[in-house]
Amino acid sequence: EKSGFDDFMSKEILEQPGALRDTLAGRLASSGELILDETTSDPDSLARINKVFIVACGTSYHAGMVAKYAIEHWTKVPVELDISSEFRYRDPVVDERTLVVAVSQSGETLDTLAALHEAKNLGAQTLAVCNVVGSSMARLADTVMYTRAGPEVGVAATKTHTAQIGALLLLALNLARTKGQLYPSEIDALYEELTLVPAKIQEVLNSWDAIGEVAKRFSGSSRFYFIGRHVGYPVALEGALKLKEISYLPAEGYPAGELKHGPIAMLDEMAVVVAIATRTRLYEKIVSNIEEVRARNSSVIIIGNPGDEGQANLGESFISVPRVHPLFAPLVDVVPLQIFAYHMARNLGMDVDRPRNLAKTVTVE
Ligand code: F6R
């Protein structure tokens, strides 16, 4: 039910504060312990984990990338990450001390389901992060953590993506507690700060029309590069994927430090570079990467925090988003990119809910 919206995608983008709020709500027990959903594994087995392996496809994979930064930072447990269709056909090194996390909105994506099967066969502990209750992955995994984003109809994942990041951040905090890497008071404080993020996302949504103006300015452009560093890197990949899948415009995402190892050769006055330049860990470095881009006369759209507008020279575009904890930034920074892709696609007359050649749930290889 679109209930008055032009399409499901805009409705679902706008539902993100609620989707994240519901995913985070009630997850902290009075003991400070984070509450997962269904589980058949004993808590001690989680304490024995010495490696996390995340498997996912597409947008869910990008959420998994964010989780890698957070889990390694807070828990010191090494995290490996793989695209499900690669994991299932190589020889992944996992054992009973590995926690394999399958991230999937639908819980039905064939490659991720097969990767989960493979992980179980190898004796790993398994966790499914899914949005669909009772889905195949939820039934197969030892433990389930549901994202409570509500049904997502638009083929391009939006609210389930931010909910996945929220759920995975909770997992990171849970593991940090299990591993004794963070004090309970630190976990409480971080959880508290995380619950403030939905309101920050709402602030970004209030810029809907302003982001539409930026999209209008670039409606004639035909080549886009998204760059970011640290957790801005998965955000860049996700921004490029959203634009590709609904507008069909060529778009690539890169870790900004990689520019000079190849992609910078493509930059000219026709290229548009979208830089995720919020105040996260490598802020100064992304600023110098933006300078390198400017020197090639490419247009730059900056996603930045209030007070940094000065970075955008006249004729360039600055989209301001609220500043949050550096590891929570993807939750906020990805939203203007969803809205940008939405406007670009609409301006080109595309069906944003049903992009060509794509299916909402990929149950074939
Ligand atoms: C992109 C998109 C896809 C899915 C991917 C995995 O907007 O929706 O890339 O993220 O097909 O799907 P799930 O999460 O259902 O496993």
Side-chain angles (χ1 to χ4, degrees):
E1 188 45 61
K2 279 189 272 191
S3 42
F5 291 90
D6 288 348
D7 38 61
F8 283 106
M9 188 179 179
S10 58
K11 176 175 180 276
E12 289 161 0
I13 289 173
L14 293 166
E15 281 171 350
Q16 287 182 110
L20 180 60
R21 204 174 282 126
D22 291 347
T23 299
L24 302 177
R27 291 286 191 184
L28 198 65
S30 52
S31 60
E33 196 173 341
L34 285 155
I35 302 165
L36 303 171
D37 293 306
E38 298 146 28
T39 181
T40 53
S41 67
D42 68 294
D44 289 349
S45 58
L46 209 58
R48 286 197 300 273
I49 292 296
N50 63 8
K51 178 175 168 181
V52 173
F53 210 132
I54 300 172
V55 291
C57 304
T59 290
S60 298
Y61 178 79
H62 299 153
M65 284 180 76
V66 173
K68 175 178 163 76
Y69 289 88
I71 296 171
E72 289 185 340
H73 179 72
W74 282 324
T75 73
K76 312 295 176 231
V77 174
V79 180
E80 229 186 302
L81 184 76
D82 215 347
I83 295 280
S84 311
S85 55
E86 289 299 315
F87 178 94
R88 62 180 290 205
Y89 290 121
R90 60 188 185 93
D91 303 298
V93 181
V94 311
D95 59 26
E96 63 288 344
R97 296 192 64 187
T98 308
L99 176 67
V100 173
V101 183
V103 186
S104 174
Q105 178 279 128
S106 61
E108 303 295 341
T109 301
L110 184 77
D111 281 322
T112 307
L113 187 58
L116 192 59
H117 265 293
E118 176 70 6
K120 284 203 98 171
N121 287 342
L122 293 168
Q125 298 184 48
T126 54
L127 167 71
V129 176
C130 299
N131 197 52
V132 178
V133 175
S135 56
S136 300
M137 280 178 229
R139 283 181 276 126
L140 183 62
D142 303 323
T143 305
V144 188
M145 193 173 180
Y146 286 116
T147 47
R148 302 185 194 126
E152 186 177 67
V153 178
V155 165
T158 54
K159 64 174 179 173
T160 56
H161 176 64
T162 41
Q164 284 169 342
I165 296 173
L168 290 165
L169 289 170
L170 291 176
L171 171 69
L173 293 175
N174 192 33
L175 275 177
R177 185 178 187 279
T178 309
K179 289 285 172 192
Q181 290 287 336
L182 287 176
Y183 292 112
S185 60
E186 292 176 294
I187 294 177
D188 287 354
L190 284 162
Y191 180 74
E192 206 55 45
E193 201 172 338
L194 187 54
T195 59
L196 300 176
V197 172
K200 310 284 181 185
I201 294 177
Q202 187 57 53
E203 286 182 45
V204 181
L205 298 177
N206 296 341
S207 305
W208 185 274
D209 293 337
I211 298 166
E213 288 305 314
V214 174
K216 218 175 271 169
R217 283 178 53 190
F218 293 98
S219 59
S221 302
S222 55
R223 233 169 352 108
F224 293 81
Y225 304 95
F226 291 70
I227 59 169
R229 300 191 69 136
H230 198 254
V231 287
Y233 166 38
V235 173
L237 291 179
E238 178 58 11
L241 179 60
K242 285 289 92 93
L243 187 60
K244 278 186 266 213
E245 64 181 336
I246 61 170
S247 76
Y248 319 140
L249 289 165
E252 292 302 329
Y254 289 105
E258 274 290 290
L259 277 182
K260 56 171 70 69
H261 299 286
I264 202 164
M266 297 185 288
L267 296 187
D268 57 18
E269 59 287 342
M270 302 298 284
V272 180
V273 174
V274 182
I276 293 74
T278 49
R279 296 250 170 191
T280 53
R281 190 124 155 211
L282 298 177
Y283 175 71
E284 272 75 27
K285 294 199 184 292
I286 185 87
V287 169
S288 73
N289 294 137
I290 292 169
E291 295 309 324
E292 291 160 8
V293 168
R294 284 209 173 108
R296 272 78 198 175
N297 297 318
S298 303
S299 302
V300 183
I301 300 172
I302 293 173
I303 310 300
N305 292 141
D308 293 334
E309 292 85 350
Q311 262 176 47
N313 292 338
L314 205 64
E316 293 186 340
S317 304
F318 186 94
I319 299 172
S320 181
V321 296
R323 185 174 178 176
V324 294
H325 184 289
L327 287 169
F328 303 161
L331 290 166
V332 172
D333 298 356
V334 76
V335 177
L337 306 184
Q338 299 166 341
I339 300 172
F340 179 74
Y342 173 85
H343 285 293
M344 291 297 294
R346 286 282 304 245
N347 291 343
L348 291 167
M350 304 305 177
D351 179 346
V352 293
D353 286 343
R354 278 173 300 273
R356 70 186 182 202
N357 309 340
L358 293 174
K360 181 68 181 163
T361 305
V362 183
T363 50
V364 292
E365 270 197 63

Short mmCIF file of all heavy atoms in Angstrom, two decimals, residues 57-61 103-109 112 137 152 155-158 164 238 241-242 245 359-362, ligand 1:
data_model
loop_
_atom_site.label_atom_id
_atom_site.label_comp_id
_atom_site.label_asym_id
_atom_site.label_seq_id
_atom_site.Cartn_x
_atom_site.Cartn_y
_atom_site.Cartn_z
N CYS A 57 25.00 -10.46 -0.14
CA CYS A 57 25.04 -9.98 -1.52
C CYS A 57 24.57 -8.53 -1.56
O CYS A 57 23.73 -8.11 -0.76
CB CYS A 57 24.08 -10.77 -2.41
SG CYS A 57 24.34 -12.55 -2.41
N GLY A 58 25.07 -7.80 -2.55
CA GLY A 58 24.54 -6.48 -2.88
C GLY A 58 24.54 -5.51 -1.72
O GLY A 58 25.54 -5.32 -1.02
N THR A 59 23.39 -4.89 -1.53
CA THR A 59 23.24 -3.87 -0.49
C THR A 59 23.50 -4.46 0.90
O THR A 59 24.08 -3.80 1.77
CB THR A 59 21.83 -3.27 -0.59
OG1 THR A 59 21.78 -2.48 -1.79
CG2 THR A 59 21.48 -2.40 0.58
N SER A 60 23.10 -5.70 1.11
CA SER A 60 23.33 -6.36 2.40
C SER A 60 24.83 -6.52 2.65
O SER A 60 25.31 -6.42 3.78
CB SER A 60 22.63 -7.71 2.44
OG SER A 60 21.24 -7.53 2.31
N TYR A 61 25.57 -6.76 1.58
CA TYR A 61 27.03 -6.88 1.69
C TYR A 61 27.63 -5.54 2.16
O TYR A 61 28.55 -5.51 2.97
CB TYR A 61 27.61 -7.28 0.32
CG TYR A 61 29.11 -7.38 0.29
CD1 TYR A 61 29.77 -8.50 0.79
CD2 TYR A 61 29.88 -6.35 -0.25
CE1 TYR A 61 31.16 -8.59 0.77
CE2 TYR A 61 31.27 -6.43 -0.28
CZ TYR A 61 31.90 -7.55 0.22
OH TYR A 61 33.27 -7.62 0.20
N VAL A 103 23.80 -11.96 6.16
CA VAL A 103 22.99 -10.74 6.19
C VAL A 103 22.11 -10.75 4.95
O VAL A 103 22.62 -10.79 3.82
CB VAL A 103 23.88 -9.48 6.20
CG1 VAL A 103 23.03 -8.23 6.37
CG2 VAL A 103 24.93 -9.56 7.31
N SER A 104 20.80 -10.73 5.15
CA SER A 104 19.88 -10.80 4.01
C SER A 104 18.52 -10.24 4.38
O SER A 104 17.89 -10.73 5.33
CB SER A 104 19.74 -12.27 3.58
OG SER A 104 18.75 -12.40 2.59
N GLN A 105 18.11 -9.26 3.65
CA GLN A 105 16.79 -8.68 3.88
C GLN A 105 15.72 -9.77 3.78
O GLN A 105 14.93 -9.98 4.70
CB GLN A 105 16.55 -7.59 2.82
CG GLN A 105 15.21 -6.89 2.86
CD GLN A 105 14.08 -7.66 2.19
OE1 GLN A 105 13.03 -7.87 2.79
NE2 GLN A 105 14.29 -8.11 0.97
N SER A 106 15.72 -10.48 2.65
CA SER A 106 14.67 -11.46 2.37
C SER A 106 14.84 -12.74 3.18
O SER A 106 13.87 -13.43 3.49
CB SER A 106 14.70 -11.82 0.88
OG SER A 106 15.96 -12.39 0.54
N GLY A 107 16.09 -13.09 3.47
CA GLY A 107 16.37 -14.37 4.11
C GLY A 107 16.23 -15.53 3.13
O GLY A 107 16.23 -16.70 3.54
N GLU A 108 16.10 -15.20 1.84
CA GLU A 108 15.87 -16.23 0.82
C GLU A 108 16.89 -16.23 -0.30
O GLU A 108 16.86 -17.12 -1.15
CB GLU A 108 14.47 -16.07 0.19
CG GLU A 108 13.31 -16.11 1.16
CD GLU A 108 13.13 -17.45 1.87
OE1 GLU A 108 13.66 -18.47 1.38
OE2 GLU A 108 12.46 -17.47 2.92
N THR A 109 17.74 -15.22 -0.38
CA THR A 109 18.72 -15.13 -1.47
C THR A 109 19.50 -16.44 -1.59
O THR A 109 20.14 -16.87 -0.63
CB THR A 109 19.68 -13.94 -1.21
OG1 THR A 109 18.88 -12.77 -1.13
CG2 THR A 109 20.73 -13.81 -2.29
N THR A 112 23.29 -16.69 -0.59
CA THR A 112 23.56 -16.49 0.84
C THR A 112 23.06 -17.70 1.64
O THR A 112 23.72 -18.14 2.60
CB THR A 112 22.91 -15.18 1.33
OG1 THR A 112 23.35 -14.11 0.47
CG2 THR A 112 23.32 -14.86 2.76
N MET A 137 16.63 -18.54 5.84
CA MET A 137 17.87 -18.33 6.60
C MET A 137 17.60 -18.26 8.09
O MET A 137 18.38 -18.77 8.90
CB MET A 137 18.57 -17.05 6.14
CG MET A 137 19.35 -17.22 4.85
SD MET A 137 20.08 -15.66 4.36
CE MET A 137 19.59 -15.62 2.65
N GLU A 152 9.46 -4.43 2.76
CA GLU A 152 10.06 -3.51 1.77
C GLU A 152 9.65 -3.99 0.39
O GLU A 152 9.92 -5.13 0.02
CB GLU A 152 11.58 -3.52 1.93
CG GLU A 152 12.29 -2.50 1.07
CD GLU A 152 13.79 -2.53 1.34
OE1 GLU A 152 14.43 -3.54 1.02
OE2 GLU A 152 14.31 -1.56 1.90
N VAL A 155 12.27 -2.52 -5.16
CA VAL A 155 13.36 -3.48 -5.40
C VAL A 155 14.67 -2.96 -4.81
O VAL A 155 15.46 -3.73 -4.25
CB VAL A 155 13.48 -3.77 -6.92
CG1 VAL A 155 14.81 -4.44 -7.24
CG2 VAL A 155 12.32 -4.66 -7.36
N ALA A 156 14.91 -1.67 -4.91
CA ALA A 156 16.13 -1.10 -4.34
C ALA A 156 15.99 -1.05 -2.82
O ALA A 156 15.10 -0.40 -2.29
CB ALA A 156 16.36 0.29 -4.91
N ALA A 157 16.88 -1.73 -2.14
CA ALA A 157 16.81 -1.78 -0.67
C ALA A 157 17.22 -0.44 -0.07
O ALA A 157 18.24 0.13 -0.45
CB ALA A 157 17.72 -2.89 -0.17
N THR A 158 16.40 0.06 0.83
CA THR A 158 16.73 1.32 1.51
C THR A 158 16.57 1.17 3.02
O THR A 158 17.54 1.08 3.75
CB THR A 158 15.86 2.49 0.99
OG1 THR A 158 14.47 2.14 1.10
CG2 THR A 158 16.20 2.83 -0.45
N GLN A 164 19.69 -3.03 8.82
CA GLN A 164 20.77 -4.04 8.91
C GLN A 164 22.00 -3.46 9.61
O GLN A 164 22.60 -4.11 10.47
CB GLN A 164 21.20 -4.48 7.51
CG GLN A 164 20.24 -5.43 6.83
CD GLN A 164 20.57 -5.64 5.35
OE1 GLN A 164 21.30 -4.84 4.74
NE2 GLN A 164 20.04 -6.70 4.78
N GLU A 238 27.50 1.80 -1.79
CA GLU A 238 26.04 1.73 -1.76
C GLU A 238 25.41 2.87 -2.56
O GLU A 238 24.43 2.67 -3.27
CB GLU A 238 25.56 1.72 -0.30
CG GLU A 238 24.05 1.69 -0.10
CD GLU A 238 23.34 0.50 -0.74
OE1 GLU A 238 23.99 -0.44 -1.18
OE2 GLU A 238 22.10 0.55 -0.81
N LEU A 241 25.69 1.90 -6.14
CA LEU A 241 24.77 0.80 -6.48
C LEU A 241 23.34 1.33 -6.63
O LEU A 241 22.65 0.98 -7.59
CB LEU A 241 24.83 -0.30 -5.42
CG LEU A 241 23.91 -1.50 -5.66
CD1 LEU A 241 24.22 -2.21 -6.97
CD2 LEU A 241 24.00 -2.51 -4.51
N LYS A 242 22.92 2.20 -5.70
CA LYS A 242 21.56 2.74 -5.79
C LYS A 242 21.37 3.49 -7.11
O LYS A 242 20.37 3.32 -7.79
CB LYS A 242 21.25 3.70 -4.62
CG LYS A 242 20.98 3.07 -3.28
CD LYS A 242 19.66 2.33 -3.15
CE LYS A 242 19.84 0.87 -3.49
NZ LYS A 242 20.11 -0.03 -2.39
N GLU A 245 21.31 0.98 -10.17
CA GLU A 245 20.19 0.07 -10.34
C GLU A 245 18.87 0.75 -10.68
O GLU A 245 18.05 0.16 -11.36
CB GLU A 245 20.04 -0.89 -9.15
CG GLU A 245 19.71 -0.25 -7.85
CD GLU A 245 19.59 -1.27 -6.71
OE1 GLU A 245 19.32 -2.43 -6.96
OE2 GLU A 245 19.79 -0.85 -5.56
N ALA A 359 15.17 -8.45 -9.66
CA ALA A 359 14.09 -9.05 -8.87
C ALA A 359 14.33 -8.69 -7.42
O ALA A 359 15.47 -8.52 -7.00
CB ALA A 359 14.08 -10.56 -9.03
N LYS A 360 13.27 -8.57 -6.66
CA LYS A 360 13.42 -8.23 -5.25
C LYS A 360 14.15 -9.32 -4.50
O LYS A 360 14.99 -9.07 -3.66
CB LYS A 360 12.03 -7.95 -4.63
CG LYS A 360 12.08 -7.56 -3.15
CD LYS A 360 12.73 -6.18 -2.96
CE LYS A 360 12.82 -5.76 -1.51
NZ LYS A 360 13.80 -4.65 -1.34
N THR A 361 13.81 -10.55 -4.80
CA THR A 361 14.46 -11.67 -4.12
C THR A 361 15.07 -12.58 -5.16
O THR A 361 14.38 -13.04 -6.08
CB THR A 361 13.44 -12.44 -3.25
OG1 THR A 361 12.83 -11.51 -2.36
CG2 THR A 361 14.12 -13.52 -2.44
N VAL A 362 16.37 -12.80 -5.04
CA VAL A 362 17.09 -13.56 -6.06
C VAL A 362 17.23 -15.00 -5.59
O VAL A 362 18.13 -15.35 -4.84
CB VAL A 362 18.46 -12.92 -6.36
CG1 VAL A 362 19.17 -13.68 -7.49
CG2 VAL A 362 18.28 -11.45 -6.75
C1 F6R B 1 20.00 -3.55 -4.05
C2 F6R B 1 19.42 -4.77 -3.57
C3 F6R B 1 20.18 -6.05 -3.75
C4 F6R B 1 20.01 -6.94 -2.52
C5 F6R B 1 20.64 -8.30 -2.74
C6 F6R B 1 20.57 -9.16 -1.51
O1 F6R B 1 19.20 -2.46 -3.78
O2 F6R B 1 18.35 -4.76 -3.03
O3 F6R B 1 21.53 -5.80 -3.99
O4 F6R B 1 20.60 -6.29 -1.43
O5 F6R B 1 20.01 -8.95 -3.80
O6 F6R B 1 19.25 -9.40 -1.11
P1 F6R B 1 18.91 -9.90 0.33
O7 F6R B 1 19.30 -8.85 1.30
O8 F6R B 1 17.44 -10.18 0.33
O9 F6R B 1 19.73 -11.16 0.55
#
